[in-house]
Amino acid sequence: MERLEAAGSAYPAPELDVSRWFGPESSLAQLRGRVVMIEAFQMLCPGCLSYGLPQAQRVQRLFPEVAVIGLHTVFEHHEVTGPDALAVFLAEFGIPFPVAVDRHDVDHGMPVTMRAYALQGTPSTILVDRAGNLRFTHLGALAELQLGAMLGELLAEPSA
Amino acid sequence: MERLEAAGSAYPAPELDVSRWFGPESSLAQLRGRVVMIEAFQMLCPGCLSYGLPQAQRVQRLFPEVAVIGLHTVFEHHEVTGPDALAVFLAEFGIPFPVAVDRHDVDHGMPVTMRAYALQGTPSTILVDRAGNLRFTHLGALAELQLGAMLGELLAEPSA
Amino acid sequence: MERLEAAGSAYPAPELDVSRWFGPESSLAQLRGRVVMIEAFQMLCPGCLSYGLPQAQRVQRLFPEVAVIGLHTVFEHHEVTGPDALAVFLAEFGIPFPVAVDRHDVDHGMPVTMRAYALQGTPSTILVDRAGNLRFTHLGALAELQLGAMLGELLAEPSA
Amino acid sequence: MERLEAAGSAYPAPELDVSRWFGPESSLAQLRGRVVMIEAFQMLCPGCLSYGLPQAQRVQRLFPEVAVIGLHTVFEHHEVTGPDALAVFLAEFGIPFPVAVDRHDVDHGMPVTMRAYALQGTPSTILVDRAGNLRFTHLGALAELQLGAMLGELLAEPSA
């Protein structure tokens, strides 16, 4: 089973570099002191719909102390997954957490924040600890027990 | 349990009045002699993604004699669910059957074929018998056993 | 997909040769005119618990015209799955249909009715038509759509 | 969401008082230093089969550091769920962890260990920390994320 990066060897999570927020704007700097789960997704990605986003919703519901954020990391089909389409998607699927739109980079296929985290695709799950350090990234499905264990461990770490 | 309309009291299924096909063009007239299942959906409708379209795919896989057709019956969010977006959706979600785009009617919220069948929303499932008669329409989830029983009954009816 | 045996080539289903009933006693002779589904199971068989018996319960709930019967075909562990244990099992698991105990045969590993149907293990599903003919036997999981289609076809056949 | 009892206010978990082991014998005293999950079950309890025991198996597979133990806490139907029947059950269902048989008490309906833990029924899940303290008991289904979080927190606690 994959594990959290040890607190001692982790480095600071790159700040979110995004072009727009749906829901309250936020930043990792502002969320310092809280455990953060970032769910990177694309609105027309089947795995995001069938397990990535539903899991993020369950985390938000069960762990009020965890700040859950969606990150729309579009790296294909930009023309049909822009902000207007995303707004409809978020409303129709009842996504309950704030969603940031990753910044498009005309010189690269991958958007800026996705590249800063070296994500390989969607859905990807990112965990940031209370100190703002990047402790885990994962592409694809994650067992609920495993994700729960990592959240439990992060929540048990002291705030400062 | 809802049942098929009896063969004797059923009336002819309205012809598909559509603006475009993804996959081979077809029509109910051409499909006379085959049992037809039409799955009416919208690409950003959660129930269509979680159970309507997956069920239609299972029917296509298990019943090669049944002609399965998707009908994109957009009655909201036209601006972000047009043909370009639908093309991406069908490719990303691997929809294996032909999909027709219901004809938009500027004077009504509902598109033309959806109105002809008096559908109330999406996903809706429509069953047409070998003689071209409309035998069943249903909005929402359908038990697999129930849908299977109706298909088994229709397939057992003589061709002409 | 497996199909029903054609009505013309099917032979009469062997009568149930059982030692005991839980619930109202019955027989294939008495059920002539009805479609019958027999679910052969053992109380300590994992597949019976996870899909065989639940599916039989769904059939009973959705198709009141179908006579659903459980057949306890013990071919191993007789000493701990006798009538006393079975009675507890049926009550705890809320099995809602009549259950017959297949007749033990001291000279064979397999009980009598199981052998008459040439069943290979549990769970097995048996379908008998209104005329009392054996139309289908299957070992293991059955897709709901497929089972539904066979029931729909059998129910559509005339009674006599 | 239910939480672990705080380490500081927890009291020592009662020792297992059992009449027999299937698999290697063990005791909480021997397991000191490890996180322990005890799954209390009865072999003919539907919830134990459908979610309690499968969850315990997933915990064992994902968390090799956690000692998973089954506890057969028979409080009804003793006559058909004795050691012979349990041995068949454990083999047929492939239960991969050691199982202890709670000690029957002729003067009470509930067996001895079940009463020491004040369990109300089955399935019940018990968590014991590395110091041997009782941190959690729960009757019925547990969300995987929630159980995972508690295990993650217990595993993160220092050994001594």
Side-chain angles (χ1 to χ4, degrees):
Chain A
M1 188 169 96
E2 293 164 289
R3 299 280 169 178
L4 291 176
E5 184 75 20
S9 60
Y11 59 90
E15 187 52 270
L16 303 173
D17 186 354
V18 300
S19 56
R20 172 149 182 194
W21 283 86
F22 291 86
E25 274 193 42
S26 187
S27 70
L28 294 184
Q30 285 178 279
L31 293 169
R32 197 63 49 85
R34 296 184 67 187
V35 173
V36 181
M37 171 170 158
I38 304 170
E39 185 69 20
F41 74 102
Q42 295 182 100
M43 61 173 277
L44 296 184
C45 141
C48 301
L49 282 164
S50 61
Y51 52 78
L53 291 168
Q55 186 172 63
Q57 293 182 56
R58 286 191 295 272
V59 168
Q60 193 191 37
R61 193 166 53 235
L62 276 173
F63 300 93
E65 327 85 304
V66 174
V68 176
I69 290 175
L71 180 65
H72 199 227
T73 52
V74 176
F75 58 90
E76 50 186 355
H77 315 308
H78 296 84
E79 67 290 359
V80 297
T81 58
D84 289 356
L86 181 60
V88 169
F89 172 84
L90 298 175
E92 288 294 322
F93 285 77
I95 304 298
F97 40 77
V99 170
V101 179
D102 200 357
R103 188 175 302 284
H104 185 45
D105 180 341
V106 290
D107 296 330
H108 290 82
M110 296 270 175
V112 175
T113 309
M114 190 179 189
R115 227 163 60 233
Y117 280 88
L119 302 182
Q120 303 300 307
T122 53
S124 282
T125 302
I126 295 169
L127 298 178
V128 178
D129 67 17
R130 298 189 197 275
N133 289 320
L134 176 61
R135 300 291 290 280
F136 185 76
T137 64
H138 177 86
L139 170 64
L142 256 181
E144 299 271 285
L145 279 171
Q146 180 185 359
L147 176 58
M150 294 188 292
L151 291 170
E153 186 175 342
L154 290 176
L155 288 168
E157 291 177 359
S159 277
Chain B
M1 188 170 95
E2 293 164 290
R3 299 280 169 177
L4 293 176
E5 184 74 19
S9 60
Y11 59 89
E15 188 50 271
L16 302 173
D17 186 356
V18 300
S19 56
R20 172 149 182 194
W21 283 85
F22 291 86
E25 274 193 42
S26 189
S27 70
L28 293 184
Q30 284 178 277
L31 294 169
R32 197 66 47 84
R34 296 184 66 187
V35 173
V36 181
M37 171 170 158
I38 303 169
E39 186 69 20
F41 74 102
Q42 294 182 100
M43 60 172 278
L44 296 183
C45 140
C48 301
L49 282 164
S50 61
Y51 51 79
L53 291 168
Q55 186 172 63
Q57 293 182 57
R58 286 192 295 273
V59 168
Q60 192 192 36
R61 195 166 50 236
L62 277 173
F63 300 92
E65 325 86 303
V66 174
V68 176
I69 290 173
L71 180 65
H72 199 228
T73 52
V74 177
F75 58 88
E76 51 186 352
H77 315 307
H78 296 82
E79 66 291 357
V80 297
T81 58
D84 289 354
L86 181 60
V88 168
F89 172 84
L90 297 176
E92 288 295 321
F93 285 78
I95 303 298
F97 41 77
V99 169
V101 179
D102 200 357
R103 189 175 301 286
H104 185 46
D105 179 341
V106 291
D107 296 330
H108 291 84
M110 295 271 175
V112 175
T113 310
M114 191 179 188
R115 226 163 60 232
Y117 280 87
L119 302 183
Q120 304 299 308
T122 55
S124 282
T125 301
I126 296 169
L127 298 177
V128 178
D129 67 18
R130 298 188 197 275
N133 289 320
L134 177 62
R135 301 289 292 278
F136 185 76
T137 65
H138 178 85
L139 170 65
L142 254 182
E144 299 271 285
L145 279 171
Q146 180 185 359
L147 176 58
M150 293 188 292
L151 291 170
E153 185 175 341
L154 290 177
L155 288 168
E157 291 178 359
S159 276
Chain C
M1 188 170 95
E2 294 164 289
R3 300 281 168 175
L4 292 177
E5 184 75 19
S9 59
Y11 60 90
E15 187 51 270
L16 303 173
D17 186 356
V18 300
S19 56
R20 173 153 179 190
W21 283 85
F22 291 87
E25 274 193 43
S26 189
S27 70
L28 294 184
Q30 284 178 279
L31 293 169
R32 197 64 49 84
R34 294 185 67 187
V35 173
V36 181
M37 171 170 158
I38 303 169
E39 186 69 19
F41 74 103
Q42 293 183 101
M43 60 171 278
L44 295 183
C45 142
C48 301
L49 282 164
S50 61
Y51 53 77
L53 291 168
Q55 185 172 65
Q57 293 182 58
R58 287 192 294 273
V59 168
Q60 192 191 36
R61 194 165 53 236
L62 277 173
F63 300 92
E65 326 85 305
V66 173
V68 176
I69 290 174
L71 180 65
H72 199 228
T73 52
V74 176
F75 57 89
E76 50 186 354
H77 315 307
H78 297 83
E79 67 289 358
V80 297
T81 57
D84 289 355
L86 181 60
V88 169
F89 172 85
L90 298 175
E92 289 294 321
F93 286 78
I95 303 299
F97 40 77
V99 170
V101 179
D102 200 357
R103 188 175 303 282
H104 185 45
D105 180 342
V106 290
D107 297 328
H108 291 83
M110 295 271 176
V112 174
T113 309
M114 190 179 189
R115 227 163 59 233
Y117 280 88
L119 302 182
Q120 303 300 307
T122 54
S124 282
T125 302
I126 296 169
L127 299 178
V128 177
D129 68 18
R130 298 190 197 274
N133 289 319
L134 176 62
R135 300 291 291 278
F136 185 75
T137 65
H138 177 85
L139 170 64
L142 256 181
E144 299 271 285
L145 279 170
Q146 179 186 358
L147 177 57
M150 292 188 293
L151 291 170
E153 186 175 340
L154 289 177
L155 289 168
E157 291 178 358
S159 277
Chain D
M1 188 170 94
E2 292 164 289
R3 300 279 170 179
L4 292 176
E5 183 74 20
S9 60
Y11 59 91
E15 187 52 271
L16 302 173
D17 187 355
V18 301
S19 56
R20 171 149 182 195
W21 283 86
F22 291 87
E25 274 193 42
S26 189
S27 70
L28 293 184
Q30 284 178 278
L31 294 168
R32 198 65 48 84
R34 296 184 66 187
V35 173
V36 181
M37 171 170 159
I38 303 169
E39 186 69 20
F41 74 102
Q42 294 183 101
M43 59 172 278
L44 296 184
C45 140
C48 301
L49 283 164
S50 62
Y51 52 79
L53 291 168
Q55 187 172 63
Q57 293 183 57
R58 286 191 296 272
V59 168
Q60 192 192 37
R61 196 166 51 235
L62 277 173
F63 300 93
E65 325 87 304
V66 174
V68 176
I69 290 173
L71 181 64
H72 199 227
T73 52
V74 176
F75 58 89
E76 51 185 355
H77 315 308
H78 296 83
E79 67 291 357
V80 296
T81 58
D84 290 354
L86 181 60
V88 169
F89 173 84
L90 297 176
E92 289 294 321
F93 286 78
I95 303 299
F97 41 76
V99 169
V101 178
D102 200 357
R103 189 176 302 285
H104 185 46
D105 180 341
V106 291
D107 296 330
H108 290 83
M110 295 271 175
V112 175
T113 311
M114 190 178 188
R115 226 163 59 233
Y117 280 88
L119 303 183
Q120 303 300 306
T122 54
S124 282
T125 302
I126 296 169
L127 298 178
V128 178
D129 67 17
R130 297 188 197 276
N133 288 320
L134 176 62
R135 300 290 291 279
F136 185 76
T137 64
H138 177 84
L139 170 64
L142 256 180
E144 299 272 286
L145 279 170
Q146 180 186 357
L147 176 58
M150 293 188 292
L151 291 170
E153 186 174 342
L154 290 177
L155 289 168
E157 291 178 359
S159 276

